[in-house]
C-alpha cells in the first residue's frame, strides 16, 4: 500500500467518482463511496457493478478479482461515514460552491489531522478548496481521466500551501497503488491537459458553428488525417458538453483569453440539455441503454 494508505473515501458516485472508487477497490483498498442520499448511493453501486461486469466480459478482469473488489466497497449517503478515512477524493459536480462546501464539511468530519483531502477537479483552483479547510497543506489535486479504469494518467496538482509530504504521498498512491502514470502541474486553471485540450475542442465547435464543416467531417478529418483516436466533437460529447463549458469558463476567468471563451452554440446546447453521450445527443446522436 502507498505510505500506509489503506482506507479511501470517494465523495461523488457519478461517472468519475464511480471510476475512481472502482480502481481503488480493484487495488485492494477499503473504499467508501459517499453520495447525496441513499438513492444516489445505490445508483453509484450499480454503476460500479456494471463496469466490473463489463471488464469481466471483455477479459480485462477475472470474476474472482471483480468479486473481491465488490467486497471492498461500501456505499453511503452521509459524509460522516468518511470520518476514519486516510485519503478522501472529492469528485462532485464541477461547481466551485459545491466543492468548497464538501471540503469545509470534510475538514470538520475527518478525524485524522494527517488525512489528505484531494480533489478530482478538472479546472478549479486547488488553493480555493484548501483555504476552505484548516489543513491547506494536506489538500491536493488528484485529477483522473475518463474512463478512469482505462486511462492511465493522473495529474497531481499542488497549491502554494500543499506540503512536500502530501505530494509524495499522493504521487506514490497514484503510481504504485493504482498503477497510474503521474504528471505534475502547478495550480493553474485547466492544469496541463485541459489547458491544451479545451482550446482545441472549442475551435472545433466554432468550425461547426460557422458552417465551415459538419461535425462528422471535422471528426473524420482529425481521426483519419491526424491519427487521433477520437475526433474533437466526439470527445467533447464523451466528456460532457456541460463539463466542457465549465472548464472553458474557468480557463477564461483565469486567463481572459478569447480562445478559452465557450462559443454560443455550445452554451445553447447545454441549456437545451444536449450534453453528449450521457444525454443521448450532443454533436452526434447516441443510442440509449
Amino acid at each position: 500500500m502507498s505510505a500506509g494508505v489503506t482506507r479511501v473515501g470517494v465523495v461523488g458516485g457519478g461517472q468519475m467518482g464511480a471510476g475512481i472508487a472502482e480502481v481503488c477497490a480493484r487495488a485492494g483498498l477499503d473504499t467508501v463511496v459517499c453520495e447525496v442520499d441513499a438513492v444516489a448511493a445505490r445508483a453509484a453501486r450499480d454503476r460500479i457493478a456494471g463496469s466490473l461486469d463489463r471488464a469481466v466480459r471483455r477479459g480485462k478482469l477475472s470474476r474472482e478479482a471483480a468479486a473481491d473488489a465488490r467486497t471492498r466497497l461500501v456505499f453511503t449517503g452521509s459524509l460522516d461515514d468518511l470520518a476514519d478515512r486516510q485519503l478522501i477524493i472529492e469528485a462532485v459536480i464541477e461547481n466551485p460552491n459545491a466543492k468548497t462546501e464538501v471540503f469545509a464539511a470534510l475538514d470538520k468530519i475527518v478525524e485524522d489531522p494527517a488525512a489528505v483531502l484531494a480533489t478530482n477537479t478538472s479546472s478549479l483552483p486547488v488553493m480555493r478548496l484548501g483555504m476552505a479547510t484548516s489543513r491547506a497543506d494536506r489538500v491536493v489535486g488528484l485529477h483522473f481521466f475518463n474512463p478512469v479504469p482505462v486511462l492511465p494518467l493522473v495529474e497531481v496538482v499542488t497549491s502554494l500551501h500543499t506540503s512536500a509530504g502530501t505530494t509524495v504521498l499522493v504521487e506514490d498512491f497514484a503510481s504504485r497503488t493504482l498503477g497510474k502514470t503521474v504528471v505534475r502541474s502547478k495550480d493553474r486553471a485547466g492544469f496541463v491537459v485541459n489547458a491544451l485540450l479545451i482550446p482545441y475542442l472549442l475551435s472545433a465547435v466554432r468550425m461547426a458553428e460557422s458552417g465551415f464543416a459538419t461535425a462528422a467531417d471535422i471528426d473524420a478529418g482529425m481521426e483519419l488525417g491526424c491519427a487521433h483516436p477520437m475526433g474533437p466533437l466526439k470527445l467533447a460529447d464523451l466528456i460532457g458538453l456541460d463539463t466542457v463549458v465549465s472548464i472553458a469558463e474557468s480557463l477564461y476567468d483565469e486567463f481572459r483569453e478569447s480562445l478559452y471563451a465557450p462559443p454560443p452554440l455550445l452554451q445553447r446546447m447545454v441549456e437545451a440539455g444536449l450534453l453528449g453521450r450521457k444525454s443521448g445527443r450532443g454533436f452526434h446522436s447516441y443510442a440509449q441503454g
Side-chain angles (χ1 to χ4, degrees):
M1 297 301 173
S2 173
V5 174
T6 58
R7 301 187 304 278
V8 176
V10 179
V11 183
Q15 192 172 41
M16 292 302 298
I20 294 167
E22 179 183 338
V23 297
C24 288
R26 286 170 62 169
L29 299 168
D30 171 0
T31 306
V32 176
V33 182
C34 181
E35 259 290 1
V36 292
D37 54 35
V39 173
R42 285 194 294 272
R45 179 195 60 199
D46 294 343
R47 191 172 290 117
I48 296 173
S51 178
L52 290 170
D53 289 342
R54 285 191 297 274
V56 171
R57 288 198 302 271
R58 294 169 181 170
K60 304 296 184 182
L61 189 68
S62 70
R63 291 189 181 278
E64 293 75 16
D68 185 57
R70 287 189 179 92
T71 68
R72 298 181 184 278
L73 286 159
V74 173
F75 299 87
T76 179
S78 173
L79 284 175
D80 290 337
D81 292 328
L82 302 177
D84 69 338
R85 301 292 95 181
Q86 299 161 302
L87 169 65
I88 299 177
I89 305 168
E90 168 274 317
V92 304
I93 186 172
E94 194 73 358
N95 176 284
N97 293 330
K99 289 181 182 291
T100 300
E101 288 176 6
V102 167
F103 272 79
L106 289 173
D107 186 46
K108 296 179 176 65
I109 290 168
V110 177
E111 296 166 351
D112 184 355
V116 170
L117 307 181
T119 176
N120 184 57
T121 181
S122 52
S123 61
L124 297 175
V126 174
M127 176 65 77
R128 181 184 304 173
L129 303 178
M131 294 305 289
T133 76
S134 63
R135 58 181 96 195
D137 62 316
R138 308 292 290 177
V139 175
V140 67
L142 200 55
H143 180 217
F144 294 79
F145 291 81
N146 183 43
V148 179
V150 176
L151 294 188
L153 187 68
V154 172
E155 290 178 313
V156 171
V157 185
T158 56
S159 79
L160 293 173
H161 279 311
T162 306
S163 70
T166 298
T167 304
V168 169
L169 184 145
V170 297
E171 286 186 352
D172 189 64
F173 170 81
S175 60
R176 292 195 184 188
T177 303
L178 301 186
K180 300 292 188 181
T181 297
V182 170
V183 295
R184 286 192 185 190
S185 173
K186 297 298 184 184
D187 190 15
R188 300 291 185 273
F191 315 134
V192 173
V193 174
N194 281 321
L196 295 170
L197 175 63
I198 294 300
Y200 163 62
L201 300 184
L202 298 182
S203 179
V205 174
R206 293 187 186 101
M207 183 175 282
E209 182 177 47
S210 71
F212 188 87
T214 66
D217 285 346
I218 291 167
D219 284 339
M222 296 309 295
E223 290 167 9
L224 303 179
C226 295
H228 287 201
M230 185 180 294
L233 298 177
K234 288 181 184 175
L235 180 55
D237 280 350
L238 177 62
I239 294 169
L241 302 190
D242 53 339
T243 301
V244 173
V245 167
S246 293
I247 300 170
E249 290 174 341
S250 293
L251 286 162
Y252 184 75
D253 287 345
E254 178 123 321
F255 298 109
R256 296 295 175 181
E257 294 185 15
S258 59
L259 77 164
Y260 295 125
L265 173 62
L266 187 60
Q267 293 175 317
R268 295 296 87 76
M269 291 176 73
V270 170
E271 291 168 0
L274 306 178
L275 307 181
R277 282 185 177 271
K278 61 187 173 185
S279 69
R281 180 182 164 196
F283 288 98
H284 302 279
S285 295
Y286 305 90
Q288 292 298 289

